[in-house]
Amino acid sequence: MLLARRGRAVPAEVLLDLVWGDDARRLTATTVHTVVARLRRHLGGDLVRTTDAGYLVPHDVATDADRFAGLVGSGADGSASRLREALDLWVGDTAYEGVRDDLVLAERTRLADLHRRARADLAAVLLDTAGEAEALEALALARTLLADDPLDEGAAVLAMRAAYRAHRQGAALEVHDTLRRTLRDELGVAPGRAVRELHARVLAHDPTLDGPPTGARDRDRDADPATTRPGATPEPPPVALHPGRLVPVPASPTVGRDDDVAVVLGALAEGRRLVTVTGPGGVGKTRLLADVGAALQPHGEVVHVALGAHAALPVDELAASVALATGVPLSGDDPVAGLVAALRTSTATVLADEAEWVLGSAAELTSTLLAGCPGLRVVITSRVPLSVVGERVVVLEPLPTPGPDASAAEVCASPAVRMLAERLADHGAGPTDPSAWGEADLRVLGEVARRVDGLPLALELVAGAGARTPLADLLDVARQPLDLAGAEHGRDDRHRSLRDALSWGVGRLGPGARVVLRRLGVFVGPFTTAAARAVVGPGDPGLDVERAVRELARHHLLRVERTSTTLSFRMLRVVRDLALDELAAAGEVDATRERHRRWFAGVWRDAPLSDDLVEHVGRTHDDHVEALVDALEHDDDVAAADIALALSRRWQFVEASTTGLRWTTRLLGRPGTTRVQRARLRVARAGFLQGADWDDAEHGRLRADLADDPEWSGLLGLVSAITAYVSGDPATARHHIEDALAATVRAPHLLPEVVAAAAVFDATEGDAAAAITGARDALARLGSPVSAVHLVSVVPKAALALLEAGHAREALDLLTSAARDADARFGIRPTNTTTLNAGWAALSVDDPTAALGWFRDSLTGTQTATAAPTVGEAALGAGATLAALGGSGAAELLGLGRLLLAEVGQELPPALEALVARAEEAVGVTAPPAGWDATLATGRVAALVRGAGAQPAR
């Protein structure tokens, strides 16, 4: 227990209760003192320290579990030796074997997932070689993963590839068929795209399956960080770094909603900028929103945000949440103003779901966005309208049902009956086409559809319950008092309670599944079975959480969500409300919420920044924030700091400085964080400030506090070096970059970024040869394909070094390729650093038209720069470009850029400064009016660049 709470003092009385449980009533604190004394004799006196607050194991005490996690985390470099070393550390079936679940369940689950990841990573590495022996070893590893989790599509992909590589096509097809049957029987869904495509390639004897893929191994990641999901094609599948850029895809076809989708699309085509889809809970508003998004995506940018997790948030916090979900960078103290500024030139369509849970704030934010962002459109779902000026309300009704005297043809044509038949067919309980049912069964389908009034969610609940019972038993639901809570929309009394329908569905569950359902109610977003195991916690002997989750999905009480190769689950809000009521009635709220926050505190503790972390924290962002708030409410400062640090890694990646500053500042004011956590939070906060704000004395203290923490020591050196560099102090920058280089000995994953930063300093100091060598060295260390994190953190620095060293064409080609890669593989626009550096490079090779497109790119769209340093640099670049083109506004842009950079005390690198100086000599500088601040200057820069008329360079 002390190891699990490293860095925190635990009173002897608390240890007594935690470790000895019910037996503690017969014991005293002397028992704890005796055991601690024994530990000190065996393991050394410094392992367990005595403080005024209790016993404490220092934060820097390392364990085999730490080494195991570190090796698996660094295994992404394709090193089989690292992964084998990690697997050799694993002893027994589970971590902490023999220790009670209630003491170590979250950590045990985290390590078990890392164990799965290590085996999957090793199998993927082995498949990067051409040997049959390696393919057989990979096949054996994949089969162990499938034995543990038969629904693991990523493991199935590995097994199919390995079997085919080992000349066992039949075995590859058998893996597919087994997975397909299991998915249908357990969840009522078909295999995902990656599995289906690989199956087709196996059948076609695709020759590319005979050897290792070109480039690095193909892989994807589940919603939980510990499971590798290799893709099915030689190139890696997209990674969802910005979940809001992915419109949800329903796991089954939509029935009977073509006309409703057409109404929404027609309203948008007519020029309506706000369309609100209303209707009772369970009528299918969320699914309709997804279908609208799918129709819009080929024609423009679409972003999606679920509002149901943000109940009762004030408008400023809602704005910050929307920005994070959709990958829109925020800066400044006002999230609403920042979001408007970031979207001011956007032509995206925002899809917002479940606004009824945050109605007032949603209405206020929507009204503000529509007023300040003339190209923006919003489609929103809500049980009640927003009552915003210009709102077009589309009322979604339940699916039409057949009348009591309907003919067989009319029953078959009924959308409600068609949907019921589709959902029963998903579970293998009958044909998809209603006309293929017998007349008697068809009458039962029509009666059931009519008795539940065609409500889609009720139809799904009935289908889930009826998949394993005689069809006639479905009529049992007709005897239930159903009320669809439609009175608020003026509907008649035939709409009865959806809650009772849900209660009917829950009542058909076994006792174990009901326990799991109520405890899963604490999740506000998607979760995997690993997260479910950790949060459900101990239960009755023999409680099988994975089986219960599948049962809940079968009964449509959980929604199945897909990535390219994997499954996760989400609870509908109406189901969640019922689950939370049952959780409260069982008296399990506090214990379950504690397990929830422990899981999210531990899942990325001490982990380096990676695509996996960025994606997982983004996908489960709402649960991370929920756990963070819960930890603070319970004064669990250590857990809160761990969660905030994981969130900070993502917030830095997506340029969410406003949110990051607010939370890191708040955590730094908490008394219960550890010394190391406070030092990490200071470094993270400096990143959000875009520069260190400490003096030499505090820097020395931070360096001492992080002496045993190579990851954050390296980041400390890096942020200190960059701060000195942009402030025009190359000597201090060089000093700090040497500290960062020293830290990479124990944190080698940081080396490419540190080498690239050092190359920039070399170029600034005039050592072009060293800069070119360093930049190319940094790029060579990235491997192929380059991760999203490296595209953001390393490639722009290497390109800037090349640009400063006189290799502008090479820099431009590198940045152009990176921008295309970011869009094609990750669905993200290039960062402002990438677009700015590309603009300077294009200007340096005498292509001002392309340069203006790049600078314009940084100031338009859904990732508009709003921070003063970025806007200032873009203004200077655009001004220099317009000077070369002979366009108007050049002198004014140069003056605005100088003002903005002067406000933050930043300077341009020498080569860029030379380009600006040449432009100033040619067209002069028009200073902005006296008294102008950064806000006025930023708005004017955007207007001038937008008016320049250039199209984006990409």
Side-chain angles (χ1 to χ4, degrees):
M1 283 309 301
L2 289 173
L3 277 174
R5 302 184 179 209
R6 273 177 291 181
R8 289 174 286 169
V10 185
E13 294 79 8
V14 174
L15 283 172
L16 191 66
D17 289 337
L18 288 173
V19 177
W20 281 270
D22 291 340
D23 293 337
R25 288 174 293 185
R26 299 181 291 99
L27 303 172
T28 68
T30 303
T31 303
V32 178
H33 303 324
T34 301
V35 172
V36 169
R38 212 175 288 150
L39 282 173
R40 285 170 170 162
R41 283 198 300 272
H42 286 287
L43 300 173
D46 291 334
L47 177 65
V48 182
R49 298 177 185 174
T50 303
T51 71
D52 292 339
Y55 291 112
L56 174 146
V57 171
H59 188 278
D60 55 1
V61 169
T63 67
D64 285 347
D66 298 326
R67 176 153 180 74
F68 173 75
L71 288 168
V72 177
S74 62
D77 62 0
S79 169
S81 61
R82 283 180 177 272
L83 294 166
R84 292 188 193 280
E85 184 180 352
L87 290 170
D88 286 344
L89 290 171
W90 191 269
V91 178
D93 295 329
T94 63
Y96 301 108
E97 200 158 1
V99 181
R100 296 198 320 267
D101 262 354
D102 58 316
L103 298 179
V104 295
L105 181 60
E107 182 67 0
R108 175 180 284 153
T109 304
R110 181 181 78 90
L111 291 171
D113 274 3
L114 282 172
H115 190 221
R116 285 189 66 81
R117 172 179 170 180
R119 287 178 286 166
D121 275 353
L122 180 56
V125 170
L126 292 169
L127 286 173
D128 277 350
T129 66
E132 183 173 342
E134 288 81 4
L136 288 171
E137 185 181 355
L139 178 59
L141 286 165
R143 281 177 166 161
T144 65
L145 297 172
L146 284 171
D148 292 340
D149 182 1
L151 301 182
D152 185 343
E153 295 187 70
V157 166
L158 281 171
M160 291 171 68
R161 285 181 53 206
Y164 192 90
R165 184 80 56 78
H167 309 295
R168 300 183 181 185
Q169 183 190 22
L173 295 174
E174 183 181 356
V175 169
H176 171 268
D177 292 344
T178 300
L179 176 70
R180 181 178 55 80
R181 286 194 304 270
T182 305
L183 286 171
R184 187 198 66 187
D185 294 344
E186 295 288 351
L187 300 178
V189 299
R193 176 184 60 82
V195 175
R196 296 196 307 270
E197 291 179 355
L198 180 57
H199 178 242
R201 293 170 63 205
V202 170
L203 289 173
H205 297 277
D206 186 338
T208 63
L209 293 174
D210 291 325
T214 58
R217 55 200 156 92
D218 45 342
R219 44 187 296 185
D220 188 19
R221 190 70 61 201
D222 186 8
D224 269 328
T227 309
T228 297
R229 298 291 188 250
T233 63
E235 288 303 315
V239 178
L241 296 173
H242 297 304
R245 303 299 176 91
L246 300 179
V247 175
V249 178
S252 54
T254 301
V255 177
R257 292 302 189 194
D258 291 347
D259 290 346
D260 299 297
V261 171
V263 168
V264 175
L265 295 176
L268 294 173
E270 293 168 1
R272 294 281 190 169
R273 296 180 56 219
L274 172 61
V275 180
T276 302
V277 180
T278 68
V283 79
K285 300 185 295 295
T286 296
R287 180 182 284 265
L288 183 77
L289 194 68
D291 290 335
V292 168
L296 291 172
Q297 272 188 314
H299 309 291
E301 189 165 15
V302 179
V303 295
H304 179 275
V305 59
L307 300 177
H310 307 296
L313 280 185
V315 67
D316 57 340
E317 293 188 23
L318 181 63
S321 297
V322 169
L324 283 165
T326 55
V328 176
L330 287 186
S331 59
D333 297 328
D334 184 345
V336 176
L339 186 59
V340 171
L343 295 174
R344 62 181 178 267
T345 60
S346 176
T347 57
T349 301
V350 178
L351 309 178
D353 196 19
E354 296 187 314
E356 66 269 17
W357 301 104
V358 61
L359 190 64
S361 294
E364 182 180 349
L365 180 60
T366 300
S367 180
T368 303
L369 286 173
L370 292 176
C373 311
L376 202 68
R377 302 186 300 180
V378 179
V379 180
I380 201 163
T381 71
S382 175
R383 294 189 191 180
V384 292
L386 269 63
S387 299
V388 170
V389 174
E391 179 182 31
R392 167 70 186 277
V393 177
V394 175
V395 179
L396 194 63
E397 298 280 1
L399 295 172
T401 61
D405 299 323
S407 66
E410 290 172 328
V411 173
C412 291
S414 161
V417 171
R418 285 166 42 214
M419 178 180 175
L420 182 57
E422 286 259 13
R423 299 302 179 257
L424 286 167
D426 288 343
H427 295 282
T432 300
D433 185 354
S435 63
W437 290 74
E439 185 175 350
D441 288 342
L442 193 60
R443 292 293 174 189
V444 171
L445 294 183
E447 178 68 12
V448 170
R450 189 164 50 253
R451 293 297 181 91
V452 299
D453 295 318
L455 186 77
L457 179 58
L459 290 168
E460 292 190 344
L461 292 171
V462 171
R468 286 169 170 74
T469 59
L471 187 64
D473 288 356
L474 294 185
L475 289 173
D476 287 347
V477 73
R479 303 186 182 95
Q480 304 301 317
L482 303 178
D483 172 35
L484 305 186
E488 61 190 14
H489 301 286
R491 291 180 170 79
D492 58 46
D493 291 339
R494 71 185 180 88
H495 296 295
R496 292 156 296 186
S497 174
L498 173 62
R499 188 179 187 84
D500 287 340
L502 292 170
S503 298
W504 172 82
V506 171
R508 299 179 66 89
L509 299 172
R514 292 194 70 161
V515 170
V516 172
L517 176 69
R518 68 177 181 248
R519 295 180 184 175
L520 291 179
V522 298
F523 283 103
V524 295
F527 56 87
T528 57
T529 52
R533 282 198 310 273
V535 173
V536 169
D540 296 332
L543 179 64
D544 188 333
V545 175
E546 287 91 342
R547 183 177 296 277
V549 167
R550 294 196 292 270
E551 182 180 351
L552 296 173
R554 242 184 353 257
H555 284 76
H556 297 280
L557 293 166
L558 295 178
R559 292 289 196 212
V560 177
E561 294 194 350
R562 296 200 110 99
T563 65
S564 57
T565 58
T566 58
L567 300 172
S568 59
F569 303 88
R570 183 192 293 266
M571 190 177 289
L572 287 178
R573 182 61 193 248
V574 288
V575 180
R576 182 173 179 243
D577 288 342
L578 178 63
L580 290 174
D581 283 349
E582 293 208 353
L583 189 69
E588 297 174 350
V589 173
D590 289 343
T592 307
R593 288 199 177 279
E594 180 179 7
R595 289 192 294 270
H596 180 266
R597 69 175 181 264
R598 291 291 177 195
W599 170 253
F600 286 101
V603 73
W604 289 111
R605 183 184 293 122
D606 300 330
L609 181 64
S610 64
D611 287 5
D612 300 333
L613 185 155
V614 170
E615 181 188 21
H616 175 258
V617 175
R619 191 174 292 159
T620 59
H621 184 270
D622 293 336
D623 274 290
H624 273 82
V625 173
E626 182 93 351
L628 173 56
V629 171
D630 183 61
L632 291 173
E633 288 177 352
H634 287 83
D635 294 323
D636 190 350
D637 292 351
V638 171
D642 283 334
I643 298 167
L645 285 165
L647 284 164
S648 292
R649 307 310 299 273
R650 174 175 173 81
W651 292 335
Q652 287 171 340
F653 183 86
V654 298
E655 301 174 302
S657 59
T658 299
T659 300
L661 272 174
R662 177 165 56 89
W663 279 108
T664 51
T665 301
R666 183 174 176 182
L667 265 295
L668 283 166
R670 300 289 294 195
T673 55
T674 70
R675 174 177 50 83
V676 172
Q677 286 178 325
R678 285 193 295 275
R680 291 176 174 180
L681 287 165
R682 287 289 283 125
V683 175
R685 185 173 181 275
F688 297 126
L689 288 169
Q690 298 190 20
D693 61 342
W694 48 70
D695 57 22
D696 290 342
E698 185 177 1
H699 180 272
R701 289 193 295 272
L702 291 172
R703 190 178 179 194
D705 290 343
L706 297 172
D708 295 313
D709 187 345
E711 165 83 6
W712 287 88
S713 289
L715 294 174
L716 171 65
L718 195 57
V719 73
S720 300
I722 293 172
T723 300
Y725 166 75
V726 298
S727 300
D729 185 356
T732 301
R734 178 66 66 185
H735 170 73
H736 289 309
I737 206 68
E738 292 299 329
D739 285 347
L741 281 168
T744 64
V745 174
R746 292 186 293 161
H749 54 277
L750 290 176
L751 188 57
E753 184 175 6
V754 175
V755 170
V760 174
F761 302 162
D762 287 330
T764 302
E765 294 169 3
D767 191 344
I772 294 167
T773 299
R776 292 173 179 170
D777 180 31
L779 295 171
R781 295 176 183 276
L782 301 185
S784 177
V786 179
S787 72
V789 166
H790 283 151
L791 278 175
V792 169
S793 62
V794 179
V795 171
K797 292 183 179 69
L800 180 57
L802 292 169
L803 174 59
E804 282 286 310
H807 283 234
R809 172 55 64 185
E810 185 179 351
L812 181 59
D813 291 345
L814 176 63
L815 292 165
T816 302
S817 175
R820 290 172 180 163
D821 211 14
D823 185 33
R825 289 176 47 218
F826 305 115
I828 60 175
R829 294 187 62 186
T831 64
N832 291 317
T833 304
T834 298
T835 54
L836 289 175
N837 288 349
W840 291 116
L843 185 59
S844 299
V845 298
D846 296 322
D847 189 352
T849 301
L852 188 58
W854 284 110
F855 290 125
R856 187 174 183 270
D857 228 18
S858 68
L859 295 166
T860 59
T862 54
Q863 303 223 187
T864 298
T866 56
T870 309
V871 177
E873 185 175 345
L876 291 173
T881 302
L882 285 175
L885 288 169
S888 62
E892 187 178 357
L893 280 169
L894 292 169
L896 291 165
R898 291 296 191 194
L899 169 69
L900 288 167
L901 286 191
E903 282 205 356
V904 293
Q906 291 195 8
E907 298 180 3
L908 291 177
L912 310 189
E913 179 61 38
L915 292 172
V916 173
R918 186 174 66 193
E920 290 174 337
E921 184 177 349
V923 300
V925 177
T926 301
W932 269 39
D933 59 11
T935 301
L936 289 171
T938 295
R940 181 59 178 162
V941 167
L944 286 169
V945 175
R946 187 166 60 246
Q951 295 301 310
R954 296 177 291 111

